Amino acid sequence: MVTEASTYLFHATKRRVYFRNVSILIPMTWKSKSEYFIPKQESYDQADVIVANPYLKYGDDPYTLQYGRCGEKGKYIHFTPNFLLTNNFHIYGSRGRVFVHEWAHLRWGIFDEYNVDQPFYISRKNTIEATRCSTHITGINVVFKKCPGGSCITSLCRRDSQTGLYEAKCTFLPKKSQTAKESIMFMPSLHSVTEFCTEKTHNTEAPNLQNKMCNGKSTWDVIMNSVDFQNTSPMTEMNPPTHPTFSLLKSKQRVVCLVLDKSGSMSAEDRLFRMNQAAELYLIQVIEKGSLVGMVTFDSVAEIQNHLTRITDDNVYQKITAKLPQVANGGTSICRGLKAGFQAIIHSDQSTSGSEIILLTDGEDNEINSCFEDVKRSGAIIHTIALGPSAAKELETLSNMTGGYRFFANKDITGLTNAFSRISSRSGSITQQAIQLESKALKITGRKRVNGTVPVDSTVGNDTFFVVTWTIQKPEIVLQDPKGKTYKTSDFKEDKLNIRSARLQIPGIAETGTWTYSLLNNHASSQMLTVTVTTRARSPTTPPVIATAHMSQHTAHYPSPMIVYAQVSQGFLPVLGISVIAIIETEDGHQVTLELWDNGAGADTVKNDGIYSRYFTDYYGNGRYSLKVHAQARNNTARLNLRQPQNKVLYVPGYVENGKIILNPPRPEVKDDLAKAKIEDFSRLTSGGSFTVSGAPPPGNHPSVFPPSKITDLEAKFKEDYIQLSWTAPGNVLDKGKANSYVIRISKSFMDRQEDFDNATLVNTSNLIPKEAGSKENFEFKPEHFRVENGTKFYISVQAINEANLISEVSHIVQAIKFIPLPEDSVHDLGTKISEITLAILGLPMIFSVF
C-alpha cells in the first residue's frame, strides 16, 4: 500500500514529495523477531497511521481524525485489519490511492470534495450538479428499484417538488472510463484521477467541506501553502522515486526513570511534599504492572536512588517510595540529573532508546544546554514537569526534541497529580492505562465538613484507589459505595513517610454507580484537602471511556488565538451529549474556565465528532499556562455516535461501463442500536499539558483585538416568499460573549471573493439582536429588491461585528432557491430536461502503529 502510495503521491504532487522512511510499530504483545528494532520516540499514541479493529464493528471505511482548521494537520489515519486484508479496489480504489487521499487529510489539512448529506446542488447555470471536483467527471444519476439476480431495474432521478433537487434515493454512478485527472479528494478510485484540484479546475460552487473550511480555495492551493512545500521544486533526476525504506520496531517493556529535584528551593510552598505525594501516586496507581522503574534525585549533584526495578507488587513500590527525598537543599544541575537517569537505565542492561524519563524541577539551570546533544543521542523520551514560576525555560526544549509531554504545576495543588496521571503507557494498551475519575482541591474551614460524589461507570473499576491529602491534619474520612457499604478513616492507609496522604484500594472490582465521600476538617484552622480517584478498565475486551486534551499549539504569540481541544471517546467512537470543562491556569495562579463545545461552530470544525473545542483568548501575562479538562456525563444524556466518521475516502456504489451498470456490494449499514449507543453517567479528568505565551500585555483591561469567529454552519431555505436563515451565534470575542450586530448580504450572482460580498445587496437586520455565543440564531426576511420567480437562486453570506467594530471573516456561501411545486408530469422542467442530459457529478517521515 505505502509503496504504491509513494509513487502515486510523487506524481500527484507534480514530482515534489514521496515516502522515504516508514516505521512500523509492532505491538508489545506480539512475538519478538530478530529483525525488529527497539523504537526511539515512536509510539502508538503519536503514530500517523493506526491499524486496529473498530469498536462495535461500525465499519471498515478508512478515515482520518481531523479536527483542525484548513491547512492544519490531523491526528491519525485509522485502517482496520479487514480493510487491509480484503480486496476492495472496486469500492474505494487501490489501497495506495486511498492512502494518498487520507494522507492529504492528515498532513496538509484539506477536506473531502464530495458531500454525502448534500450530494447534489443547483449550479449558477441552473443545472443540477453533483457535489464534486472537478466538474469534468461524468456519469449517470439513477434510482435503484430492485436488484434481482445481480441485475438492477433503475429509473431516472426525479426532482423533489419541495427542494428542486433530486429525490433522496438518487445515486450518482460515474463512468468507468474518464478523461478528468482530478480530484484525489473526490474519487481516487477512478483510473484517470491522478491529481488534486487546482485553481483552474476547482469547483467553488460545490457545497462540500473543502469549500466551506478553506473559503473556496482549491486543495492544491492549500497543499502548496504547507511548510512541506516551501522552497521545493519538481525533482528532475528521479523517475520513478526509490521505494520507501521500512523499519520494524517493537518495545520489550516500558522503562521509566524518575529524575526528581531536591534542591533548596523545593522547600518553598510545600513543593517537596507535593512532589512526593504525586510521585507515590504515580508509582502505586499509574505505572503499569510489569514496567521497569528507576529513580534519581538531584540538586547540584545527582544520586541514583533506585536502579531499574520491575513493578510486580506492593513491596516493590515501597522500596522505591522509601527513597523519596525528605530534605531539600543545594543548587540545581538538571544535566547531572538526566545523565544519572541514563546511567540508571544502562546499568540494568536496558537501552536508553525508547526509555522514558520524568524530569521534575522548580529551578533554573544556566548549563542545561550543555547536555542537549547527549539527550538527542540517547533516544530517550523526556517528559518535563515545571514546578512553580522559576523552573528553567529550556525544559520545553527537552520535551519538544524527544517527543515527551510537557507540564506546568503551580498554585493548583492537584496540578502535579494530574501531570503524573497523564504519563501513562503510550503503547496503545488502553485497557491497562490508569484513568483519573476525580482530582479536586478543597479549602475547608476549621471544624467544617465537605461532601462530594464520584460516578464509577461500567467501563472501569479495576485497581480503583481513593486518595486524600491534607496540609495540616488528617481529616475524618467517610466513603460509601453505591450499595451502601461504608469505608472509614481507619480503612485508609497512611503513608509511613509522613507525606500527609492516605489511600484506600477498593478490593476487587469497584461497584458501578455513584460513590459518595465526606471529609471533616477536625483542625481549628482551615486547610487544603484533595481527593483523587484513579482506576483502570473493567475488562480487557471492552475499551473504557477516555478523555484526552491539548492546545492547538505549544507556544502562542499574542494576539494569536489558541484553541483548546478535548477528545472523549470509547474505542474509536465519539462520546456525545456531555459537559466538558477546561481550566487554564497561569503562573501566578489566575484561572480561566471554559465550557468546550462539539457543535460544529466557532473553533469546532465538525459537529458530533467527540472533539470538544473552544477558542482561548483570555491571556493574563506571559509565561507558562497549564490545561486540565473535566469531562462529565450527567442525567443519562451521554451517547455514542455510531455514524460513520467524516474525512474518509468515498464508498463508490458502482460504475457505468459500456452503457451497462456494474454495482458494487451495498455498503454495510450500521444501525443506530440505541441500547448500545447510550452510556451511563461518568467522570474523567485529564491534564492537557502546558503551553507558553509571549508578547501578551500585562493583566488588566487591554483593547479588544479579536473579532467574532467566522460563521461556519449557515443554512438557508425559502418558505413561501421569505428566506429563512439559521446559524450558530458567534461571540463578541471569537466564540465568547455576544456579537454587536450582523451584516447579511444577498446576491443573484455567486460570491467568489470578498469584493463580491462587499458589492452584494445588504439585508435589513435592524430587528436582529445577536444572541449569546453558541445559541441558535434564526432570521427571516423577504428579498424586497429582487424579482423572484420559479427557479430564482440567491446566494447569501453573513458577517458578525463586535462592540470594538471588529468584523468576522465572511461565512461560507449558502444558496436559497425559490421552487414552486409543479404538476407531477412537468416536475423536471427547469433549465434543461433531465431526461435529455447526462449529468456530470460527482521524502516525508511516517510512523505506522499496528495494534
Side-chain angles (χ1 to χ4, degrees):
M1 176 176 72
V2 180
T3 301
E4 181 201 346
S6 184
T7 304
Y8 188 60
L9 182 68
F10 182 66
H11 294 297
T13 58
K14 307 186 194 312
R15 307 175 62 82
R16 283 176 171 83
V17 298
Y18 62 97
F19 297 121
R20 179 178 287 164
N21 299 306
V22 182
S23 300
I24 301 180
L25 192 60
I26 308 294
M28 284 170 62
T29 52
W30 288 18
K31 189 178 177 183
S32 293
K33 293 184 180 179
S34 57
E35 62 262 35
Y36 295 167
F37 295 97
I38 294 174
K40 289 191 175 179
Q41 285 137 23
E42 299 88 353
S43 66
Y44 177 89
D45 73 346
Q46 294 187 333
D48 298 309
V49 180
I50 289 171
V51 179
N53 281 314
Y55 180 50
L56 296 183
K57 297 187 167 42
Y58 64 83
D60 293 302
D61 284 354
Y63 71 93
T64 301
L65 183 62
Q66 180 183 9
Y67 46 76
R69 291 169 295 183
C70 181
E72 292 181 358
K73 281 187 72 173
K75 179 74 172 158
Y76 58 73
I77 297 167
H78 178 197
F79 292 128
T80 67
N82 200 38
F83 167 77
L84 290 171
L85 299 173
T86 307
N87 287 330
N88 285 315
F89 296 163
H90 48 296
I91 293 172
Y92 303 108
S94 69
R95 292 188 193 92
R97 287 173 171 239
V98 169
F99 187 68
V100 170
H101 176 99
E102 299 305 332
W103 182 260
H105 280 308
L106 178 80
R107 184 79 181 193
W108 299 311
I110 59 177
F111 297 87
D112 288 322
E113 291 174 321
Y114 62 86
N115 187 339
V116 172
D117 296 323
Q118 197 174 343
F120 300 99
Y121 67 98
I122 296 177
S123 75
R124 63 183 94 178
K125 294 176 182 174
N126 235 23
T127 57
I128 302 181
E129 297 282 350
T131 303
R132 74 204 186 282
C133 195
S134 73
T135 53
H136 297 127
I137 291 175
T138 57
I140 64 168
N141 304 288
V142 293
V143 174
F144 298 108
K145 301 283 188 186
K146 294 183 226 167
C147 294
S151 63
C152 289
I153 300 167
T154 62
S155 65
L156 287 173
C157 299
R158 302 184 69 82
R159 296 186 90 143
D160 184 292
S161 64
Q162 299 301 314
T163 66
L165 291 167
Y166 286 138
E167 59 195 297
K169 293 180 180 177
C170 184
T171 303
F172 166 76
L173 294 179
K175 290 182 178 176
K176 187 85 171 172
S177 177
Q178 303 276 349
T179 56
K181 292 185 176 180
E182 58 279 314
S183 168
I184 290 168
M185 300 313 289
F186 171 59
M187 199 177 279
S189 56
L190 294 172
H191 181 74
S192 69
V193 171
T194 55
E195 296 179 5
F196 295 98
C197 266
T198 63
E199 188 179 12
K200 284 183 181 176
T201 56
H202 182 59
N203 178 8
T204 55
E205 287 187 88
N208 55 35
L209 208 52
Q210 173 64 24
N211 279 330
K212 178 177 164 182
M213 296 302 303
C214 299
N215 297 327
K217 278 188 187 172
S218 76
T219 51
W220 182 243
D221 282 344
V222 177
I223 289 170
M224 286 302 290
N225 281 330
S226 157
V227 291
D228 288 342
F229 292 87
Q230 302 305 308
N231 306 316
T232 63
S233 53
M235 303 176 206
T236 54
E237 69 281 1
M238 285 198 312
N239 190 24
T242 55
H243 282 187
T245 300
F246 293 90
S247 305
L248 302 179
L249 312 175
K250 181 179 176 293
S251 295
K252 292 179 180 174
Q253 67 254 311
R254 191 174 185 207
V255 177
V256 180
C257 187
L258 304 180
V259 177
L260 307 176
D261 186 349
K262 66 176 189 71
S263 61
S265 55
M266 288 291 289
S267 61
E269 298 179 347
D270 267 350
R271 286 179 190 157
L272 196 75
F273 266 113
R274 286 161 52 202
M275 176 183 79
N276 287 347
Q277 285 173 344
E280 183 185 58
L281 179 140
Y282 182 72
L283 292 166
I284 295 175
Q285 298 172 223
V286 178
I287 188 76
E288 296 79 12
K289 292 273 196 306
S291 303
L292 292 171
V293 180
M295 185 169 71
V296 166
T297 57
F298 71 94
D299 42 53
S300 51
V301 294
E303 185 179 352
I304 298 173
Q305 301 293 348
N306 295 85
H307 288 100
L308 295 183
T309 309
R310 192 173 300 281
I311 298 292
T312 53
D313 55 37
D314 290 353
N315 294 331
V316 178
Y317 299 131
Q318 288 162 11
K319 281 180 189 171
I320 302 175
T321 56
K323 299 280 187 76
L324 285 166
Q326 299 302 301
V327 180
N329 55 37
T332 305
S333 176
I334 291 169
C335 280
R336 285 181 178 164
L338 288 173
K339 287 176 181 175
F342 296 151
Q343 287 166 13
I345 294 167
I346 294 166
H347 181 270
S348 303
D349 296 327
Q350 295 298 317
S351 168
T352 55
S353 184
S355 298
E356 295 169 77
I357 283 181
I358 300 175
L359 169 64
L360 184 150
T361 181
D362 75 336
E364 295 182 20
D365 180 0
N366 296 329
E367 298 178 353
I368 190 171
N369 297 353
S370 65
C371 58
F372 281 179
E373 287 306 313
D374 289 341
V375 167
K376 285 179 190 171
R377 278 195 299 273
S378 74
I381 298 161
I382 300 181
H383 309 296
T384 59
I385 303 175
L387 182 55
S390 302
K393 302 301 178 215
E394 298 85 355
L395 284 180
E396 283 78 9
T397 308
L398 287 169
S399 291
N400 292 346
M401 72 168 65
T402 64
Y405 295 130
R406 44 192 282 166
F407 300 97
F408 163 63
N410 192 25
K411 297 281 168 67
D412 182 350
I413 200 165
T414 58
L416 276 179
T417 304
N418 298 338
F420 273 106
S421 297
R422 174 73 190 268
I423 310 172
S424 55
S425 168
R426 309 205 290 182
S427 68
S429 302
I430 292 165
T431 56
Q432 295 176 22
Q433 291 175 6
I435 295 167
Q436 245 185 320
L437 304 186
E438 182 63 280
S439 175
K440 189 176 278 187
L442 308 154
K443 187 153 192 179
I444 313 297
T445 53
R447 316 294 185 200
K448 293 291 182 187
R449 183 182 296 277
V450 66
N451 301 313
T453 60
V454 180
V456 174
D457 58 281
S458 62
T459 70
V460 295
N462 243 325
D463 206 21
T464 304
F465 288 88
F466 283 77
V467 183
V468 176
T469 73
W470 57 92
T471 50
I472 302 173
Q473 180 185 320
K474 185 178 183 180
E476 182 185 302
I477 308 166
V478 179
L479 175 69
Q480 191 173 69
D481 80 6
K483 288 192 172 174
K485 182 177 181 182
T486 300
Y487 300 88
K488 296 187 177 173
T489 312
S490 55
D491 296 314
F492 282 72
K493 277 191 198 170
E494 198 167 341
D495 195 270
K496 295 172 187 171
L497 294 173
N498 188 31
I499 54 176
R500 302 193 287 246
S501 70
R503 172 178 285 100
L504 169 69
Q505 181 173 14
I506 304 301
I509 305 274
E511 288 287 347
T512 298
T514 300
W515 290 65
T516 58
Y517 62 84
S518 175
L519 306 176
L520 173 64
N521 177 13
N522 281 319
H523 200 270
S525 304
S526 66
Q527 66 170 328
M528 187 70 77
L529 307 179
T530 72
V531 178
T532 304
V533 183
T534 64
T535 187
R536 298 187 202 270
R538 180 170 296 252
S539 158
T541 56
T542 303
V545 173
I546 57 168
T548 58
H550 69 280
M551 301 298 293
S552 53
Q553 57 217 56
H554 287 318
T555 56
H557 188 81
Y558 184 87
S560 164
M562 297 185 79
I563 299 175
V564 189
Y565 291 115
Q567 180 182 7
V568 187
S569 59
Q570 184 181 15
F572 292 96
L573 295 179
V575 175
L576 311 181
I578 62 174
S579 161
V580 182
I581 305 294
I583 299 156
I584 295 168
E585 186 180 14
T586 64
E587 285 186 353
D588 65 358
H590 177 77
Q591 286 191 347
V592 174
T593 301
L594 281 176
E595 182 184 3
L596 308 187
W597 296 333
D598 185 15
N599 61 356
D604 195 61
T605 302
V606 179
K607 185 177 182 177
N608 291 341
D609 64 349
I611 310 290
Y612 294 76
S613 326
R614 200 79 184 274
Y615 282 108
F616 172 69
T617 58
D618 291 326
Y619 294 115
Y620 199 81
N622 296 322
R624 293 185 174 108
Y625 288 55
S626 68
L627 165 67
K628 71 176 178 183
V629 163
H630 195 186
Q632 283 182 295
R634 302 190 196 102
N635 306 321
N636 297 311
T637 58
R639 66 189 193 281
L640 293 174
N641 184 356
L642 301 179
R643 269 198 84 187
Q644 291 282 337
Q646 296 202 29
N647 309 315
K648 62 184 183 189
V649 73
L650 183 61
Y651 192 106
V652 181
Y655 299 93
V656 178
E657 190 169 15
N658 299 323
K660 186 180 176 185
I661 293 174
I662 300 166
L663 284 184
N664 288 324
R667 189 163 184 273
E669 285 301 315
V670 180
K671 291 180 181 174
D672 282 11
D673 183 333
L674 293 177
K676 281 184 179 174
K678 282 188 176 177
I679 294 183
E680 73 250 76
D681 290 355
F682 67 83
S683 171
R684 298 290 184 270
L685 196 131
T686 184
S687 168
S690 66
F691 60 99
T692 310
V693 173
S694 62
N701 289 327
H702 35 81
S704 177
V705 293
F706 300 105
S709 57
K710 176 185 171 182
I711 293 164
T712 57
D713 61 349
L714 180 64
E715 292 181 356
K717 65 180 180 182
F718 256 100
K719 186 175 183 186
E720 296 173 349
D721 293 334
Y722 287 82
I723 293 175
Q724 294 179 328
L725 301 180
S726 65
W727 66 92
T728 302
N732 181 57
V733 176
L734 294 172
D735 56 7
K736 185 180 176 188
K738 197 186 294 185
N740 207 42
S741 61
Y742 291 112
V743 176
I744 301 177
R745 291 186 184 268
I746 183 169
S747 173
K748 281 189 170 182
S749 304
F750 188 78
M751 293 183 279
D752 263 332
R753 303 176 303 280
Q754 177 76 43
E755 305 92 83
D756 297 334
F757 178 82
D758 294 338
N759 293 329
T761 303
L762 265 174
V763 174
N764 182 353
T765 56
S766 56
N767 294 327
L768 176 56
I769 310 299
K771 295 179 183 174
E772 194 72 23
S775 306
K776 185 55 79 175
E777 297 275 24
N778 293 291
F779 181 64
E780 186 176 87
F781 67 96
K782 191 173 183 178
E784 301 279 5
H785 306 294
F786 298 91
R787 185 182 169 193
V788 181
E789 55 193 7
N790 192 20
T792 299
K793 286 190 309 299
F794 288 107
Y795 298 97
I796 304 152
S797 240
V798 183
Q799 280 181 306
I801 303 175
N802 68 8
E803 59 189 13
N805 227 27
L806 297 173
I807 307 174
S808 73
E809 286 183 58
V810 179
S811 73
H812 61 294
I813 299 153
V814 293
Q815 189 184 71
I817 304 168
K818 177 67 172 176
F819 190 75
I820 301 168
L822 299 173
E824 194 64 25
D825 58 353
S826 59
V827 77
H828 50 57
D829 289 335
L830 178 63
T832 322
K833 281 195 176 176
I834 302 305
S835 58
E836 293 176 0
I837 62 169
T838 301
L839 282 168
I841 96 142
L842 309 180
L844 298 172
M846 172 173 43
I847 304 168
F848 258 87
S849 191
V850 183
F851 189 65

